[in-house]
């Protein structure tokens, strides 16, 4: 369900992607790819990269942990009882005291559905969202439990704001759970309603003032954290059809680009101007050129396929210069018109 297996770490011009039982790294500037993890013992469905760590989640609660400096040494453990749908990186405390915080009363099939690594000045953290209705904060590389939060539903995704002070959590209901965050301590702020169906993905703007949630019924809802009021509710291009479910939502992470991208179950990616939420560009993705190894390329005018294309991930480059869209056998790179965005021109977004 959760299709978020394209990762661009915020510190280097590189891209990581899952291909079958492998993880490949692509150097954006050199246009070269190398294999980081090969022939994993399980089918990977989620991945996180941060600092010197890479973590991959599997369908049967597997977690593979390795250091990028020595990926040949990989530790595989089990966390939860089912699928690790999503893994990502979060921010660790640097000088705050460690403290266990459990809000089991806050929100009253097992399996890890989301995983988020936190990186800071001290021990990095791994944030794990699980089908057993929990979000667990774990240390790396020891995988020691630091904090556990309980929810009334299976948890699909969690996103910590860029300033490290807030967290948004979504799952198999239309509820959106907001927390304030201080170090390893989480405190519930509120519970909001997105649309009428389960939510698959969420993300924060680079200012940490806006957050967006993508839902199965084809809606993307955007809030302002300061007022907790909805700023916009957007529909996918194929809204009303199962293939129009929103699987992934991402804000541009840097510069005055001000874009929100979200992918659908198949074939379409939407890019919205977040200055007004009125202007949108829709990309019909696909290629008729596939091979046994991922085909990384930056097409000026992609060749579109007539059949539905399964979208596996979506991610902006760290400098917001490109948008990468993962397909089952390839990754497409689209160049963002940054000059047009800086000049507030009326040209195409991408």
């Amino acid at each position: 369900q959760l299709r978020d297996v394209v990762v661009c770490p915020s510190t280097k011009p590189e891209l990581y992607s899952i291909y079958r039982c492998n993880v490949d790294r692509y150097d954006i500037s050199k246009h070269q790819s190398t294999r980081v993890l090969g022939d994993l013992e399980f089918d990977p469905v989620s991945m996180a990269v941060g600092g010197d760590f890479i973590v991959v989640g599997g369908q049967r609660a597997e977690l593979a942990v390795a250091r990028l400096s020595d990926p040949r040494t990989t530790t595989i453990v089990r966390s939860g009882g089912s699928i690790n749908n999503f893994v990502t990186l979060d921010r660790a405390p640097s000088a705050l005291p460690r403290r266990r915080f459990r809000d089991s009363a806050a929100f009253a099939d097992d399996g890890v559905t989301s995983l988020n690594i936190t990186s800071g000045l001290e021990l990095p953290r791994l944030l794990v969202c699980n089908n057993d209705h929990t979000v667990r904060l774990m240390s790396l590389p020891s995988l020691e439990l630091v904090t556990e939060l309980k929810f009334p539903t299976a948890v699909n995704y969690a996103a910590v704001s860029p300033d490290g002070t807030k967290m948004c959590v979504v799952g198999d209901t239309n509820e959106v759970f907001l927390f304030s965050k201080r170090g390893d301590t989480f405190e519930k702020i509120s519970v909001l309603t997105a649309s009428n169906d389960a939510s698959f993905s969420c993300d924060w703007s680079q200012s940490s003032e806006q957050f967006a949630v993508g839902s199965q019924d084809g809606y993307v809802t955007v809030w302002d954290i300061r007022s907790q009021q909805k700023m916009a509710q957007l529909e996918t291009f194929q809204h009303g059809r199962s293939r129009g479910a929103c699987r992934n939502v991402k804000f541009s992470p840097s510069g005055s680009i001000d874009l929100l991208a979200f992918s659908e179950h198949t074939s379409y990616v939407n890019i919205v101007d977040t200055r007004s939420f009125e202007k949108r560009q829709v990309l019909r993705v696909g290629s008729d050129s596939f091979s046994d190894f991922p085909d990384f390329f930056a097409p000026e005018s992609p060749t579109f396929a007539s059949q539905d294309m399964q979208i596996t991930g979506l991610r902006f480059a760290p400098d917001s210069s490109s948008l990468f869209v993962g397909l089952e056998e390839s990754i497409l790179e689209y160049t963002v018109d940054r000059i047009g965005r800086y000049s507030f021109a009326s040209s195409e977004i991408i």
Side-chain angles (χ1 to χ4, degrees):
Q1 289 183 343
L2 308 182
R3 303 181 179 193
D4 194 22
V5 295
V6 176
V7 175
C8 290
S10 59
T11 56
K12 296 180 181 180
E14 59 187 15
L15 170 74
Y16 291 78
S17 66
I18 290 175
Y19 181 69
R20 298 181 180 174
C21 291
N22 311 293
V23 176
D24 295 312
R25 175 171 52 205
Y26 177 68
D27 188 309
I28 298 174
S29 59
K30 297 180 181 179
H31 300 285
Q32 296 177 348
S33 62
T34 57
R35 182 138 293 168
V36 179
L37 298 177
D39 298 325
L40 290 168
E41 300 174 1
F42 58 90
D43 293 324
V45 296
S46 55
M47 172 180 55
V49 180
D52 191 36
F53 287 99
I54 179 169
V55 179
V56 181
Q59 292 184 337
R60 297 179 179 176
E62 303 97 340
L63 290 178
V65 182
R67 291 186 179 271
L68 292 173
S69 56
D70 185 19
R72 294 171 297 179
T73 303
T74 303
T75 300
I76 299 179
V77 300
R78 290 183 182 270
S79 177
S82 186
I83 303 175
N84 298 320
N85 282 326
F86 165 70
V87 298
T88 188
L89 296 177
D90 194 6
R91 292 155 183 80
S94 57
L96 295 171
R98 290 185 61 193
R99 167 187 164 191
R100 187 179 296 269
F101 176 86
R102 184 187 293 264
D103 189 9
S104 58
F107 315 102
D109 3 89
D110 292 339
V112 181
T113 60
S114 170
L115 198 162
N116 183 333
I117 303 174
T118 71
S119 53
L121 299 180
E122 293 186 354
L123 288 176
R125 296 287 190 255
L126 184 66
L127 192 61
V128 181
C129 302
N130 198 295
N131 274 352
D132 63 6
H133 299 195
T134 65
V135 171
R136 296 183 180 95
L137 187 67
M138 308 172 76
S139 62
L140 282 176
S142 66
L143 295 177
E144 176 189 357
L145 178 65
V146 178
T147 297
E148 182 180 79
L149 302 174
K150 291 186 178 295
F151 294 81
T153 185
V155 181
N156 290 329
Y157 209 107
V160 174
S161 59
D163 63 10
T165 65
K166 299 172 285 289
M167 181 174 71
C168 176
V169 179
V170 298
D172 282 352
T173 70
N174 62 352
E175 294 178 306
V176 179
F177 306 97
L178 287 181
F179 290 83
S180 63
K181 179 179 182 294
R182 184 176 184 270
D184 292 338
T185 301
F186 298 83
E187 183 177 357
K188 185 182 66 172
I189 298 175
S190 62
V191 179
L192 306 175
T193 301
S195 58
N196 295 315
D197 211 335
S199 297
F200 290 145
S201 179
C202 56
D203 195 33
W204 292 85
S205 66
Q206 59 178 300
S207 67
S208 299
E209 295 177 350
Q210 301 171 5
F211 62 97
V213 171
S215 301
Q216 181 170 277
D217 53 5
Y219 285 103
V220 174
T221 309
V222 184
W223 286 266
D224 188 313
I225 187 62
R226 295 164 294 185
S227 65
Q228 296 185 29
Q229 298 296 314
K230 291 182 179 180
M231 301 178 61
Q233 190 162 58
L234 311 166
E235 296 182 356
T236 60
F237 182 77
Q238 301 174 101
H239 176 261
R241 306 168 67 187
S242 60
R243 66 188 64 180
C246 179
R247 298 295 184 182
N248 208 318
V249 56
K250 293 287 185 293
F251 282 95
S252 53
S254 59
S256 301
I257 305 301
D258 304 324
L259 296 177
L260 174 66
F262 52 94
S263 62
E264 304 184 19
H265 183 72
T266 62
S267 303
Y268 289 92
V269 171
N270 302 257
I271 303 96
V272 176
D273 185 342
T274 61
R275 295 166 186 164
S276 65
F277 294 99
E278 294 180 356
K279 183 179 179 183
R280 178 193 306 211
Q281 185 174 351
V282 179
L283 303 177
R284 173 74 159 89
V285 300
S287 171
D288 55 8
S289 176
F290 298 126
S291 62
D292 290 336
F293 192 77
D295 182 14
F296 297 104
F297 56 98
E300 294 182 0
S301 299
T303 302
F304 297 135
S306 58
Q307 73 273 21
D308 285 337
M309 305 299 297
Q310 302 292 324
I311 298 175
T312 63
L314 179 75
R315 193 73 58 141
F316 282 98
D319 62 358
S320 300
S321 61
S322 298
L323 177 67
F324 297 94
V325 180
L327 304 178
E328 289 183 302
E329 298 282 346
S330 63
I331 293 180
L332 304 180
E333 178 183 355
Y334 296 89
T335 301
V336 175
D337 180 11
R338 290 192 292 176
I339 295 178
R341 298 301 296 158
Y342 290 147
S343 63
F344 291 82
S346 58
S347 59
E348 293 295 324
I349 295 173
I350 288 182

